[in-house]
Amino acid sequence: MRVAHLKIARSEDSTGARHWQEFEVPWEPRSSVLEALHYVARQLDPTLAFRYGCRYKKCGLCAMLISGRPRLACTVRLQEETVLEPLTNLRVIRDLAIDRRPFFDALRRHILFVARGAAMPGKPDRLDAFLRVAGCLECLCCHAMCPRIAEDVSFAGPFLFVKLAQMHYHPADSLDRSSQAKEMGIERCRGCGLCFCPYGIPIQRDVIKPFLGDHAGAARTE
Amino acid sequence: MQSYNYDLVCVGGGGAGVMAAIVAAALGAKVAVISKEPAGLGNTRMSGGLIESQSDEGLMFEDLTIGGEKLSSPRLLRAMAKEAKHNAEVLEELGHIFEIRESGPTEGFRKPRSLRGAHAAVWLGQVLRGVLAERKVDLFEDMMVIELLVPEGAARGLLAYDLVSGAFCLFQAAKMVLATGGATWLFYPHANGMSSSTGDGYALALDAGAELVDMEQIQFLPLALTHPVAFAGRYLGGQRMVAGPAGVLRNARGEVVLDHLGEHPVPQVTKAIFTELKHGSPSEHGGLSLDLSHNIPLRAQGRWSPEPIREVAKFAYGPQAARGEEPMDVAPTAHTTLGGVRVDEWCRTGVEGLYAVGEVMGGLHGGDRLSGMGLGELFVFGRRAGEDAARGGVESTSFDPALEPMAREKVAALEGSLIQDGVVSSLSVKEELCRTMWEKVGGLRNERNLREALERIARWKVQRGQCRVGRLRRFNLEFMHYLELGFMLTTSEAICISALVRKESRGCHQREDYPDRDDRNWAKNIVLRKRKGKITYYLAEPL
């Protein structure tokens, strides 16, 4: 029977103190990383803390760094050697579980919900653009990859900009989200494009650049 | 212990819980939502996004009555038929966007107005989080409700556990809404839902003195993946769409079990597959072979497409199978729990101050759930529960001094019963329970299997007392599994008892030893309640 090796970052809290723990799990041709984690929890170490929910690409809860890249564990095939760490730029609760609660507070703080009111003059009808950014699972993979977040506390980061774009393109939202994007630091985006979205939202093209005034990319429809 | 005081606490952050919360808050109530996972998730967000919103009340009432197979509560059906028409507008007001507004034929409805949300229900989930952020509702995420506090027969509060900090919390509430979703995870891995669907609400309700109705009714959908384990139970899609005009189901011997799948009603296809799995020749993975290859030439005529077959099929089975070039192994999957907490048309249970809404609520669907109703009901009854809960005074009552000692006592008892170095793993027991539920209670049932399942459940209840929990600390999944296992055992017991009592086949409940529908004796609800710690039943006319 073939085995796969997992190296998992363990920790007790968010202070950053970590140690590695290695596990051997059975390997089947179509195993996912999530399946391997379930095996660890069931057979090897029940104290391992990790999140999951839907088992394939619908809830976003199993997002983590898989061999250095933020991905959904349910969609990644298990390799012979895999390194698992919690998403970066986020407060770790324990092991691979990160604290998602601050993001609800952020929705409130930044008014990232449809704000009805008198229609903004000149607000374009952009349902097509809305649909391209509406499928966000809030997995936070994009947030984890952004190098700016760690350097600059007033830079909101890709996830919050995606939420802002959803409001911007939403037909019933009445706030000036373009100005808000600037207040949230969008001009300090480096354009590095590291903000990877496992769901396929083209963040640079459909969120960052349009807010920066470059509409050439966003104007292109499917 | 951290203590909170609210007019209304909604347990569950899906469509039903959020709807009840925002309606009550708009009427001036001080409201909190407690959610085991982040709010806006659950099976609401995982769903296909179809929301029934039709306006012909009379026709809808008739269709629902027929679909329910005489088990639905006419009062609930009337409320649904009357208010479904508002669903589209209500949701658009909250910020929802519908991608598809035309209605093709749907299962069971003659004149549907079934609207599909943008990105199925992913945007709907975002809307739910957004409205909670917008309105004056306090949200407690990653928090699990352990027990409802019901001093002297009135629901006054609850004991909760914060998964992040590992601390217990006490909530006092004048009113509480259970919106905890279903129990499909009981059939893991043949379950098409979130891992949080462990039936917590049914157990909480029973222990609080409320009643459950028709718990034996569990809807299975026919075509789902069977392997690997990580993907087993994931739904492929509606049989008409997936199987197309020329899909064929074969057993392991190559014999045709069923063809023209799209022409048979869903329950018939499900039953045919279960029958073959039990008495015929299943594959090594416990499924049947779905051969779609004869559809491929029809593709050019636009009569079939492999596109809708979920991407997950490609990941699990490979691109050739996903294109229909190779057969796929399929078996039914548990999709929704139709029975549940017994309520009146305002979602009130028999316990003062306690409501139930959404999948956890029983009596609406009866023997079968029609298309678009899963989401459709959340917003109709969520609103009704929120309105009724806020009615009759919204001033916060002063803190009841009896609750805190009650809560402390329960925490002490719980901590005292936990074995930090126990030999049994809750996760293992959970999986054994799920395997038994699939084998003995999924699909075709009989008395022997149901009794066997009940015996095992009784043993596991004892064994649970020896489960290892580890130090109570941050994000302790062992403790979460331990708590969920408790709820799952109670809910499974309720399902098995109800299935044993109903000596006939009706709707989603199929008994080999009683294969016919018996209207003379069994056109009745099976109502469960706890008496002296044991689950008892009685029969009643639908409300």
Side-chain angles (χ1 to χ4, degrees):
Chain A
M1 187 195 62
R2 283 182 62 177
V3 293
H5 292 100
L6 291 177
K7 193 164 122 167
I8 305 183
R10 305 294 305 264
S11 60
E12 276 303 308
D13 53 36
S14 53
T15 59
R18 275 187 207 185
H19 65 276
W20 293 103
Q21 195 174 357
E22 301 194 16
F23 300 95
E24 258 186 26
V25 302
W27 182 89
E28 298 283 327
R30 303 210 116 86
S31 302
S32 67
V33 169
L34 183 60
E35 206 173 323
L37 285 169
H38 282 312
Y39 182 87
V40 170
R42 212 167 43 241
Q43 311 279 31
L44 303 176
D45 187 344
T47 68
L48 181 63
F50 62 101
R51 289 183 188 268
Y52 58 98
C54 69
R55 300 189 288 149
Y56 193 79
K57 216 174 162 180
K58 275 268 195 166
C59 73
L61 290 178
C62 64
M64 58 187 69
L65 290 190
I66 301 178
S67 298
R69 300 185 59 209
R71 304 287 301 280
L72 302 176
C74 60
T75 65
V76 176
R77 294 224 189 279
L78 188 62
Q79 308 288 336
E80 267 195 55
E81 308 280 339
T82 309
V83 177
L84 299 177
E85 298 165 273
L87 292 179
T88 28
N89 290 333
L90 290 159
R91 203 177 79 97
V92 176
I93 305 173
R94 198 165 66 80
D95 297 339
L96 301 169
I98 48 94
D99 190 357
R100 306 180 61 92
R101 290 167 171 180
F103 287 89
F104 182 75
D105 300 331
L107 294 185
R108 256 194 184 143
R109 206 163 54 244
H110 297 292
I111 316 181
L112 294 174
F113 43 82
V114 179
R116 290 179 180 277
M120 255 187 69
K123 185 177 165 105
D125 178 4
R126 294 307 311 272
L127 193 62
D128 56 329
F130 169 79
L131 290 174
R132 283 202 297 278
V133 297
C136 170
L137 296 183
E138 204 172 321
C139 70
L140 305 175
C141 282
C142 60
H143 185 93
M145 277 313 274
C146 177
R148 216 73 185 91
I149 288 174
E151 301 164 355
D152 181 350
V153 290
S154 65
F155 182 70
F159 167 66
L160 293 179
F161 289 130
V162 169
K163 290 298 301 174
L164 198 63
Q166 290 175 346
M167 302 309 135
H168 177 68
Y169 293 127
H170 193 287
D173 184 80
S174 63
L175 296 182
D176 181 355
R177 304 296 187 166
S178 291
S179 299
Q180 186 181 351
K182 294 187 171 59
E183 285 159 33
M184 286 167 72
I186 199 154
E187 284 159 328
R188 294 194 291 286
C189 168
R190 274 198 226 137
C192 65
L194 282 174
C195 37
F196 167 76
C197 173
Y199 203 67
I201 296 178
I203 298 179
Q204 280 295 317
R205 190 194 79 182
D206 288 349
V207 173
I208 310 292
K209 289 196 169 120
F211 276 136
L212 291 174
D214 170 8
H215 296 280
R220 207 186 324 126
T221 51
E222 269 124 26
Chain B
M1 188 184 314
Q2 184 82 52
S3 298
Y4 302 94
N5 188 1
Y6 288 95
D7 294 322
L8 173 66
V9 171
C10 294
V11 182
V18 171
M19 194 68 193
I22 62 175
V23 166
L27 291 169
K30 185 177 167 211
V31 184
V33 170
I34 301 178
S35 184
K36 192 162 67 167
E37 44 194 21
L41 276 176
N43 287 338
T44 301
R45 206 177 88 166
M46 258 191 90
S47 72
L50 271 182
I51 300 175
E52 188 46 56
S53 188
Q54 64 177 278
S55 51
D56 188 332
E57 277 182 50
L59 208 64
M60 191 185 196
F61 181 81
E62 273 174 32
D63 288 341
L64 286 172
T65 302
I66 294 167
E69 299 210 28
K70 298 194 191 302
L71 295 183
S72 301
S73 153
R75 284 199 236 167
L76 291 178
L77 293 190
R78 254 189 293 275
M80 183 75 207
K82 179 163 157 262
E83 294 177 22
K85 65 173 79 60
H86 302 300
N87 273 342
E89 288 69 37
V90 164
L91 285 165
E92 282 180 330
E93 181 64 27
L94 296 183
H96 194 31
I97 301 247
F98 290 104
E99 225 176 333
I100 297 171
R101 295 193 70 101
E102 98 283 344
S103 300
T106 60
E107 286 283 344
F109 282 127
R110 285 170 284 173
K111 218 161 105 181
R113 181 180 168 226
S114 211
L115 312 173
R116 191 172 168 273
H119 293 275
V122 174
W123 177 246
L124 178 62
Q126 302 277 319
V127 165
L128 296 175
R129 288 179 70 72
V131 295
L132 283 179
E134 181 191 11
R135 315 285 166 103
K136 286 190 182 53
V137 173
D138 288 347
L139 175 63
F140 296 87
E141 296 181 304
D142 289 326
M143 189 173 279
M144 204 168 155
V145 172
I146 296 184
E147 198 170 331
L148 301 180
L149 303 173
V150 190
E152 284 145 28
R156 291 268 174 263
L158 56 86
L159 176 64
Y161 175 71
D162 182 336
L163 284 163
V164 173
S165 67
F168 292 96
C169 311
L170 166 64
F171 283 75
Q172 167 167 303
K175 306 268 174 73
M176 292 187 286
V177 172
L178 287 172
T180 46
T184 44
W185 199 253
L186 286 177
F187 299 91
Y188 170 85
H190 300 281
N192 184 55
M194 289 287 274
S195 58
S196 51
S197 301
T198 43
D200 302 3
Y202 307 108
L204 289 170
L206 264 184
D207 287 334
E211 296 178 329
L212 302 181
V213 64
D214 296 335
M215 286 300 288
E216 79 284 355
Q217 298 292 342
I218 313 258
Q219 188 188 65
F220 289 84
L221 295 179
L223 303 180
L225 305 180
T226 55
H227 64 283
V229 164
F231 299 103
R234 287 306 303 271
Y235 188 42
L236 274 173
Q239 76 220 34
R240 194 175 292 129
M241 182 184 67
V242 170
V248 181
L249 273 175
R250 292 195 178 84
N251 64 18
R253 295 210 294 247
E255 297 159 341
V256 173
V257 174
L258 206 57
D259 57 12
H260 302 292
L261 285 151
E263 291 165 28
H264 303 279
V266 173
Q268 211 181 78
V269 176
T270 305
K271 186 174 175 181
I273 300 177
F274 272 132
T275 307
E276 183 66 29
L277 293 183
K278 190 153 185 212
H279 297 298
S281 308
S283 70
E284 61 172 314
H285 298 289
L288 297 183
S289 167
L290 177 64
D291 176 3
L292 301 174
S293 58
H294 298 292
N295 285 313
I296 297 174
L298 302 175
R299 203 178 163 176
Q301 305 158 25
R303 291 175 63 197
W304 176 77
S305 167
E307 291 315 309
I309 296 171
R310 307 292 173 83
E311 192 191 314
V312 64
K314 185 167 143 198
F315 193 90
Y317 290 159
Q320 279 173 292
R323 283 196 296 266
E325 294 162 18
E326 261 175 27
M328 283 194 278
D329 201 66
V330 297
T333 185
H335 183 62
T336 181
T337 336
L338 305 183
V341 184
R342 194 171 188 227
V343 296
D344 68 11
E345 69 271 33
W346 292 102
C347 304
R348 292 181 291 216
T349 68
V351 176
E352 187 192 318
L354 186 62
Y355 297 76
V357 204
E359 194 176 347
V360 77
M361 179 183 98
L364 175 67
H365 306 295
D368 198 19
R369 191 174 82 178
L370 305 187
S371 182
M373 282 290 290
L375 290 181
E377 65 165 307
L378 307 181
F379 305 103
V380 166
F381 292 99
R383 189 187 59 70
R384 293 172 74 88
E387 225 178 71
D388 199 78
R391 219 178 287 190
V394 296
E395 72 283 354
S396 273
T397 52
S398 57
F399 207 75
D400 182 345
L403 285 187
E404 178 124 9
M406 201 175 172
R408 285 199 188 287
E409 204 181 287
K410 291 190 186 293
V411 171
L414 184 61
E415 284 177 328
S417 71
L418 297 177
I419 298 184
Q420 301 217 336
D421 299 305
V423 292
V424 182
S425 147
S426 302
L427 198 44
S428 302
V429 180
K430 254 193 182 185
E431 296 206 345
E432 285 180 67
L433 169 62
C434 294
R435 201 171 4 237
T436 291
M437 287 301 283
W438 172 249
E439 285 167 10
K440 308 280 178 195
V441 189
L444 300 180
R445 299 161 174 172
N446 62 49
E447 177 161 344
R448 204 188 63 175
N449 281 352
L450 293 169
R451 290 203 183 282
E452 171 71 39
L454 281 169
E455 275 169 39
R456 292 183 190 179
I457 289 168
R459 284 202 296 274
W460 286 319
K461 277 163 123 182
V462 171
Q463 209 182 19
R464 182 174 174 256
Q466 285 139 37
C467 281
R468 193 200 117 99
V469 162
R471 283 188 294 117
L472 278 181
R473 55 27 145 152
R474 301 151 63 80
F475 223 80
N476 185 334
L477 286 185
E478 287 182 285
F479 187 50
M480 186 196 79
H481 288 308
Y482 173 81
L483 292 172
E484 285 185 341
L485 175 61
F487 295 138
M488 287 165 77
L489 287 168
T490 302
T491 301
S492 307
E493 191 184 347
I495 292 170
C496 291
I497 288 174
S498 205
L500 206 50
V501 167
R502 189 175 291 285
K503 288 182 165 60
E504 62 152 4
S505 289
R506 181 184 301 262
C508 294
H509 168 74
Q510 296 291 316
R511 282 200 50 174
E512 314 184 274
D513 43 359
Y514 298 96
D516 300 315
R517 195 172 108 162
D518 178 3
D519 281 347
R520 203 158 64 87
N521 293 307
W522 289 105
K524 292 194 169 45
N525 291 144
I526 294 171
V527 183
L528 301 180
R529 58 189 172 180
K530 265 198 173 174
R531 282 281 177 277
K532 297 195 172 85
K534 290 185 69 72
I535 299 179
T536 64
Y537 80 93
Y538 67 92
L539 302 183
E541 296 295 327
L543 286 171

